[in-house]
Amino acid sequence: MERKSLLLLAIPLYMVYFGIKLLINMVPRILYVVEGDSPLEIVVSLGFMSTTIFAAVFAVFIGILWARKIILGEDTSQL
């Protein structure tokens, strides 16, 4: 692989890393919210957290697909 391709591959792999890190950090927060507080606060907090989890899963999925395209040579973007 040439240098330009390695740089292009680093971007989607960082997206995957960031998404997984975000998912790992959300688990203790979800457990903390579920343990205490009122039912309304639990629903609101979990609503916002589910949005964050959805974004993290989306980042991991898109990052993996983008890295796959780069490895197969299908990506023609200019950096």
Side-chain angles (χ1 to χ4, degrees):
M1 251 191 212
E2 61 189 37
R3 261 189 208 278
K4 192 172 187 182
S5 295
L6 287 175
L7 179 61
L8 286 175
L9 190 60
I11 298 168
L13 291 180
Y14 181 75
M15 281 178 60
V16 172
Y17 164 75
F18 181 75
I20 291 172
K21 186 174 130 183
L22 192 60
L23 288 171
I24 290 171
N25 288 338
M26 288 303 290
V27 172
R29 292 181 186 181
I30 290 172
L31 293 174
Y32 175 75
V33 167
V34 172
E35 283 180 1
D37 306 329
S38 67
L40 179 62
E41 192 172 347
I42 290 172
V43 169
V44 171
S45 297
L46 289 180
F48 286 121
M49 288 180 192
S50 65
T51 305
T52 305
I53 290 170
F54 177 73
V57 169
F58 185 74
V60 169
F61 180 69
I62 294 299
I64 290 172
L65 290 180
W66 189 9
R68 182 179 168 268
K69 272 180 90 172
I70 292 171
I71 290 171
L72 294 176
E74 300 172 1
D75 190 47
T76 59
S77 65
Q78 299 294 321
L79 185 64

